[in-house]
Each structure stands twice: as C-alpha cells, then as structure tokens.
Amino acid sequence: MSEQTGRAQSAERADGVVVGVDGSDAGLCALSWAAAEAKRRSVPLNIVTAYTIPVFAASSMDAGYATLDDEVIREGAAEVLRQARATVTDPDLEVRTRVESGDPAGVLLELSEEADLVVVGTRGRGGFVGRLLGSVSSALPAHAKCPTVVVPLCVAEPPPGTPARREVVVVGVDGSERARVAVLVAAEQAVARGVPLRIVCALPPVSGSLAWMPATVDQEALTFDVRRQMEAGSNWLRSHFPGLVVESDVIDGPPIEVLIRESAAARLLVTGSRGRGGFAGMLLGSTSQGVLHHAKGPVMVVPDAEDPRLADRADFDPTDEE
C-alpha cells in the first residue's frame, strides 16, 4: 500500500478506479462497489480522501497555529483513509491510498484525467473532510474527464421488500449524439458483465403544458418514430458488439421518473452528462442530476467524447419508402 499526500508531491499515477471516501457509510458503500469493479477490470484501486483548512482557521490564526491546524486535519484525514483501506481485504487487488489537500471536487476532477473511472457516494458527512460526498456527487459528473459512478447507500442497505436486481445494464437515450456515446459505453459495460443491454427512452406526454412542443406533433406518430430510431440504434450496436443482447423500450413519462424506476432494478444505469434534445426536446443530460439524487442503484455518467464508431451510425437510419 502506498500513501500520497498532496498533488504536487504525488508521483504515483491514479490509473484504474478512483474512489473518494470521507469516513461516512456512503463513502464505504462507494468503496465496496469500486473495489469490486476494480477487481472485475483487473486494474488498481485508488482510495482518495481530501481536506481543506476551514476559512476561519486560515484567517484568524497566525502561521504557527495554522501549521498545527493543518497537521491535525491531515492526520484526521489519514486516519479516515487507513480505516477505509482496512475494509478492502482482497489480496489480489492492487490498492493505493492518497491524502490530498484541496477542494474535494477539484481533487477528484484532476484525478479523473488519469483514471478509467471515478466512484463516489451520494451522501457524505462533511466534517473535517469537507464535502467529499454529497455536493461532490453533483458537481463531479458534469465535468469529469472519465466516466463517473455515483453509488447510493441503498445499494449496501436495500430497504425491506426491495426486489432483486435484474442482471442488466440500462442506458437512457434521447436521440442526441452525446447520448450515443453513453450507449457505446453502456454496451461495453454489458459485454464486460456478460449481461443484456436495455435501452430506454422516456417520452413525456404531449400536452398543452409543454409550451415548446409544436401543436402539430402527434403522440402516436412521435412514439412510432422514436421506436424506429431505437431499433436502428440497436442494429448499429449489434454491428459493433456481435452477440450482445439488446432490448429497447419507449416509456411514457418524465425522464427523471422513468430512469429512477429503471435504476431500482438494474445492476447499472448509464446516462450522458448532458444532451441536446434529440427526438423531441427531451433533455437526458439535464435529467442526470435529478437521477443522481434519487437513484436506487449505481449510476454511471459518461462525459462527452469523440468515438470513431459513431461514424457509421447514419448507415443504420431507417429510410421512408414511398
């Protein structure tokens, strides 16, 4: 095990899976998920905690006291890290630990430039560690350079009567180019896990309450068009992932509600970090924040990226026959 203290002094890379911890149950839940994912991928696990000196301490104490305060807080953060490390007992998993000084969201964002995946929990306790979880799980996915997985505490402690999760990866789409990048990543996740991929598009009902929806749009015609496009997308995916079982579904309802329901039954829910509207102004990206706060299972948010496999997507678009 190695411990790095401060980004300027960190010679060790953060490749593999990076997970943020802060001593909370949510952080430990995220750590457990991250450790299993690192083992599945055969990559290192990087356990990270970050701290900042409270503003009042920096402004009201002289240099001597500020130095002492920094040492106390750093040692407290190191103890959180030691306790977290002790919960990972797999002897075959390479584990690295590091204490970082700085804003937790900024620390994880910087590490995302090297990592394959960053994992955080949905709630944190704050305290001397600052705000590693909670608000970080909102800020990080929108700006990370690699996919981010947010793991809710209910994954470790499911409420009584919770149905068993289905062995499937679910991805939400809205017809945008950015959503297609998320679909490719979701397909990779499904293949790696040996499970089917379920593609879901949520269609809010066409009504007068949607001022942006043209009055000429017909709900039935819109649904038909979306289904055709999703079938084309499924055929495109199969061309790049032979043998992948792909199912698609158009579900009536607000995107946030639909994806939250899907998250309760799936092993993993995948979304893009933002969208451009796609089929009919549906905003997958903007819903990802709402999904993250209320999801019932792990949610992977995929950042925008260039992918050469997008080049032949148009070849599978349906054509209208006269």
Side-chain angles (χ1 to χ4, degrees):
M1 178 181 69
S2 60
E3 180 176 315
Q4 302 295 327
T5 54
R7 279 171 284 172
Q9 302 174 3
S10 296
E12 189 170 347
R13 289 179 54 81
D15 56 310
V17 176
V18 170
V19 58
V21 298
D22 65 353
S24 67
D25 290 342
L28 293 178
C29 178
L31 173 59
S32 177
W33 194 94
E37 182 66 10
K39 177 66 178 296
R40 188 185 65 77
R41 296 184 180 212
S42 298
V43 298
L45 174 67
N46 301 270
I47 309 174
V48 181
T49 194
Y51 72 94
T52 56
I53 300 176
V55 174
F56 75 86
S59 61
S60 63
M61 297 181 179
D62 61 31
Y65 282 108
T67 300
L68 177 61
D69 190 71
D70 178 80
E71 293 175 353
V72 170
I73 296 177
R74 182 187 294 270
E75 179 54 35
E79 178 59 27
V80 165
L81 204 58
R82 285 190 288 270
Q83 292 178 7
R85 174 63 181 87
T87 67
V88 182
T89 57
D90 191 327
D92 297 324
L93 182 61
E94 179 184 352
V95 181
R96 309 164 181 164
T97 63
R98 52 202 295 164
V99 175
E100 301 281 4
S101 59
D103 175 75
V107 167
L108 293 177
L109 180 60
E110 183 170 327
L111 293 178
S112 74
E113 296 181 2
E114 301 178 356
D116 300 321
L117 184 72
V118 175
V119 182
V120 294
T122 52
R123 296 289 186 274
R125 69 181 184 182
F128 67 83
V129 185
R131 54 180 180 84
L132 185 52
L133 306 180
S135 60
V136 171
S137 65
S138 297
L140 180 67
H143 304 287
K145 304 304 181 183
C146 70
T148 302
V149 171
V150 179
V151 183
L153 184 58
C154 62
V155 171
E157 301 176 0
T162 301
R165 293 189 182 277
R166 181 185 172 195
E167 295 297 330
V168 65
V169 172
V170 175
V171 59
V173 300
D174 66 353
S176 67
E177 188 85 352
R178 290 169 172 176
R180 289 171 181 169
V181 175
V183 169
L184 288 169
V185 173
E188 293 170 349
Q189 293 298 309
V191 169
R193 289 170 167 78
V195 301
L197 175 67
R198 174 172 164 79
I199 307 174
V200 174
C201 180
L203 267 186
V206 179
S207 70
S209 63
L210 301 178
W212 45 265
M213 182 69 76
T216 56
V217 171
D218 176 80
Q219 181 78 35
E220 184 175 341
L222 176 61
T223 301
F224 176 77
D225 181 60
V226 171
R227 290 189 186 280
R228 283 206 312 164
Q229 291 290 342
M230 292 182 70
E231 181 59 30
S234 297
N235 292 334
W236 166 64
L237 275 181
R238 293 186 187 100
S239 73
H240 289 284
F241 300 92
L244 174 64
V245 176
V246 182
E247 60 182 71
S248 61
D249 198 4
V250 179
I251 303 175
D252 293 335
I256 292 178
E257 294 181 9
V258 168
L259 294 180
I260 289 174
R261 286 199 303 270
E262 292 288 330
S263 74
R267 284 293 175 184
L268 181 67
L269 172 67
V270 181
T271 76
S273 59
R274 56 182 62 84
R276 288 186 181 274
F279 292 125
M282 294 165 288
L283 302 176
L284 171 64
S286 64
T287 68
S288 62
Q289 290 292 341
V291 174
L292 290 177
H293 287 298
H294 302 286
K296 307 303 181 184
V299 179
M300 175 182 286
V301 180
V302 179
D304 298 339
E306 298 292 332
D307 194 305
R309 292 172 293 188
L310 294 173
D312 64 352
R313 172 61 181 84
D315 297 341
F316 293 83
D317 282 343
T319 58
D320 294 323
E321 298 182 358
E322 295 293 339

